[in-house]
Amino acid sequence: MEVLHIYHTNDLHSHFEHWPRIHQLVTQRRKWHEQEGDEYLLFDIGDHMDRWHPLADATRGRGIVELLNNASYDAVTFGNNEGITQSYEDLDSMYESRQFPVLAANLYREDGTRPEWLQPYKIFTTKAGTKIGAIGLTVNFNHIYNLLGWKVTDPLEELEACLKELKGKTDIIVLLSHLGIHDDERIGTMFPEVDVVLGGHTHHILHEGKLVQNSLLAAAGKYGQFTGHVIVEIDEETKKVLAKKASLYDMNEWKPVENENEMIENLYAKGKGLLEVPVVDLPHPLIAKNFEESPLASLLCKTLKDWCSADCAFLNSGLLLRGLDKGRVTEYDLLSICPHPINPCTVKLTGAELKEVLLQTRDEKWPHLQIKGLGFRGTVMGNFVYEGIEFKRVKEHTKEILIENKPIHPKKIYTVAIPDMFTFGRFFPEIFRSQTKNYFVPEFLRDLLREKLKELYK
């Protein structure tokens, strides 16, 4: 019997609190298994980088690749945080120093060719001659990829094509899937030839895996809280899988690594040092508040409206985690106050739809609402801030909404500038349903703020 040990991580999102422990675990286990004569593979399933962290932002992911190199990963796929939160050029150059294959069968250049740093699959051969086909797939955010200059295709169609190519060439199929739990379950149902699905994207935790027909699904949650381990037992002669099981190691309970706090702090400090680049010198502080008047949020909202050439704009003040002090403002300061990978966006709404949305923003539930995901890296929504929008009291309990000083017209089409997260979540049904959304990439909201500050305080 041949024993294959597969270790996997996913969705660290540059939360390196447990990275020293993960690094120690996977590097020690490689030595142990090799000494025992067993086979070992280590995979990352994407979203290892997240640009809220200074190292990821300053190096555009290259610093993350260095960490993966140091831990001797055998292959990785990438997620939406690597793929759509940076420019075409940044993704195209991110993996230049890689010491492992990058697998994603469903990403291409616009002309239909694959970038030289990418391949759809990799065949690993064990000492006993067993051939393991590892296939990578990334989530199909085709609209954003297209805007950036990439082309993504249907992941399940690409998987089917890869399986046809690998038929007869491999004994075991392992899928690196940054697609989410629902697609992983579909794959288990549709493609019984996939032996193991290592999942991510939806941050699901499968403590002992999940068997879907013949496919064993495994996933390790998020932020490095767990490291996954799949054991596959194989008949050496027939190359048939005899047994497979999945487990997770809780890194919160793992023995601390010597000097781990220093290691974690050094990663942050390294990125911070690279971002200590002056942007402007402020003659006065710019205040930001979640639940009170917020001059910096108002400036950002005005900038958003102007930059998008919109009729009006609104955003939530919680996008700014704090204000800016008088004096030198650096790239690190801008990242600190606005760490979200959120892009500007416009949506076209009728006056009637826009009125309904704006009335919803006045609901008292919003300011203290805690938001997770959708690119938001803050804590609470905060008060809404408006530009080109005025709520005018007509009678005691009646308000009129003005758009650029004119009463809102129910049938007129308005171009509204917003943070893109309002289009992904079901915050506002009218926005979610709109068929005329325009995303501006690769600029983040902090990029707009930077340019406005440079314009105002040269």
Side-chain angles (χ1 to χ4, degrees):
M1 185 178 67
E2 183 179 17
V3 181
L4 169 64
H5 296 270
I6 302 173
Y7 289 80
H8 58 101
T9 54
N10 62 272
D11 295 279
L12 261 79
H13 286 273
S14 296
H15 282 263
F16 298 127
E17 299 92 321
H18 302 308
W19 180 249
R21 303 181 190 190
I22 294 172
H23 178 98
Q24 184 185 70
L25 168 65
V26 298
T27 52
Q28 281 187 349
R29 290 299 178 89
R30 183 184 292 272
K31 293 177 183 177
W32 293 0
H33 295 314
E34 288 176 351
Q35 289 171 359
E36 290 295 317
D38 292 340
E39 297 293 335
Y40 172 104
L41 288 170
L42 173 61
F43 299 124
D44 186 75
I45 318 302
D47 276 4
H48 199 291
M49 76 163 281
D50 192 314
R51 286 181 57 188
W52 74 267
H53 193 283
L55 182 63
D57 190 60
T59 65
R60 293 301 192 267
R62 295 179 184 87
I64 308 305
V65 172
E66 184 178 341
L67 296 178
L68 295 169
N69 282 340
N70 292 340
S72 300
Y73 274 75
D74 292 291
V76 308
T77 192
F78 59 87
N80 42 290
N81 272 272
E82 289 90 356
I84 64 173
T85 69
Q86 48 189 356
S87 69
Y88 178 97
E89 293 76 18
D90 286 335
L91 175 59
D92 202 30
S93 60
M94 174 178 168
Y95 293 102
E96 283 179 346
S97 65
R98 72 197 182 281
Q99 296 171 10
F100 47 78
V102 182
L103 309 179
N106 61 320
L107 180 84
Y108 299 87
R109 299 192 191 278
E110 284 184 321
D111 63 3
T113 62
R114 282 196 174 92
E116 57 280 358
W117 49 268
L118 186 67
Q119 58 195 81
Y121 56 79
K122 166 80 173 178
I123 299 176
F124 297 90
T125 304
T126 70
K127 293 185 290 291
T130 303
K131 296 188 181 300
I132 303 152
I135 305 169
L137 294 173
T138 196
V139 64
N140 185 13
F141 288 159
N142 62 325
H143 181 61
I144 305 297
Y145 275 108
N146 290 345
L147 291 173
L148 287 166
W150 295 103
K151 176 184 177 183
V152 286
T153 53
D154 184 277
L156 300 192
E157 291 180 4
E158 293 289 355
L159 174 59
E160 185 174 18
C162 287
L163 291 172
K164 286 180 180 177
E165 284 188 41
L166 291 172
K167 189 172 183 179
K169 300 177 182 178
T170 59
D171 304 300
I172 298 172
I173 295 292
V174 177
L175 177 64
L176 282 56
S177 167
H178 195 86
L179 301 178
I181 181 65
H182 301 300
D183 277 350
D184 290 352
E185 290 172 341
R186 288 178 63 201
I187 287 166
T189 301
M190 296 171 62
F191 302 102
E193 59 267 57
V194 176
D195 296 283
V196 178
V197 180
L198 306 176
H201 183 54
T202 45
H203 301 175
H204 49 292
I205 300 171
L206 300 175
H207 286 281
E208 297 180 346
K210 179 178 182 179
L211 198 62
V212 178
Q213 295 193 19
N214 181 60
S215 301
L216 177 64
L217 275 54
K222 64 177 180 179
Y223 300 169
Q225 294 169 354
F226 298 95
T227 300
H229 182 194
V230 173
I231 301 174
V232 183
E233 297 176 355
I234 307 148
D235 186 298
E236 280 196 16
E237 292 186 4
T238 65
K239 304 302 181 187
K240 298 296 183 184
V241 173
L242 303 175
K244 49 191 173 183
K245 65 178 181 178
S247 61
L248 294 178
Y249 301 111
D250 188 337
M251 304 317 296
N252 290 295
E253 299 178 355
W254 208 253
K255 182 181 178 181
V257 174
E258 185 178 358
N259 299 324
E260 70 174 13
N261 289 335
E262 183 180 347
M263 295 177 190
I264 297 162
E265 290 168 3
N266 285 343
L267 292 175
Y268 194 92
K270 182 179 179 181
K272 181 181 178 181
L274 293 170
L275 291 175
E276 292 290 1
V277 179
V279 176
V280 292
D281 202 319
L282 285 182
H284 54 79
L286 289 172
I287 297 169
K289 300 283 188 181
N290 283 338
F291 312 118
E292 303 171 30
E293 185 177 347
S294 183
L296 188 55
S298 296
L299 176 63
L300 179 57
C301 192
K302 183 180 188 311
T303 303
L304 176 64
K305 173 183 177 294
D306 295 343
W307 197 85
C308 293
S309 301
D311 297 313
C312 58
F314 68 88
L315 53 79
N316 56 303
S317 57
L319 285 167
L320 295 172
L321 307 192
R322 62 175 178 81
L324 292 170
D325 296 329
K326 176 183 176 180
R328 190 179 78 152
V329 174
T330 66
E331 293 285 355
Y332 173 74
D333 292 322
L334 295 180
L335 174 66
S336 298
I337 69 167
C338 194
H340 331 280
I342 290 178
N343 305 105
C345 176
T346 59
V347 59
K348 291 188 181 296
L349 300 172
T350 65
E353 291 170 331
L354 177 56
K355 181 178 180 180
E356 180 61 30
V357 169
L358 293 175
L359 289 175
Q360 290 174 46
T361 67
R362 309 293 278 187
D363 194 305
E364 61 183 17
K365 71 178 181 182
W366 290 115
H368 294 277
L369 184 68
Q370 295 189 357
I371 305 296
K372 293 185 179 180
L374 307 174
F376 188 66
R377 302 293 185 255
T379 52
V380 297
M381 181 73 82
N383 291 341
F384 278 94
V385 177
Y386 308 91
E387 183 64 31
I389 299 167
E390 182 183 353
F391 295 85
K392 184 178 180 182
R393 186 180 297 277
V394 180
K395 297 178 182 178
E396 185 177 351
H397 299 292
T398 305
K399 287 185 178 179
E400 183 179 38
I401 298 177
L402 306 181
I403 305 297
E404 294 192 309
N405 300 315
K406 296 179 181 179
I408 193 167
H409 192 288
K411 295 184 179 180
K412 182 178 176 179
I413 303 297
Y414 293 91
T415 300
V416 187
I418 52 174
D420 68 8
M421 73 172 186
F422 292 155
T423 70
F424 301 135
R426 298 176 183 266
F427 298 105
F428 307 107
E430 291 78 9
I431 291 176
F432 185 78
R433 291 194 299 262
S434 173
Q435 299 300 307
T436 51
K437 305 181 185 83
N438 185 24
Y439 299 94
F440 297 87
V441 294
E443 296 85 2
F444 293 159
L445 293 180
R446 65 174 174 268
D447 295 320
L448 274 61
L449 185 58
R450 177 199 304 109
E451 297 310 310
K452 176 55 71 173
L453 292 174
K454 289 166 70 173
E455 175 190 324
L456 292 175
Y457 305 103
K458 292 179 181 178

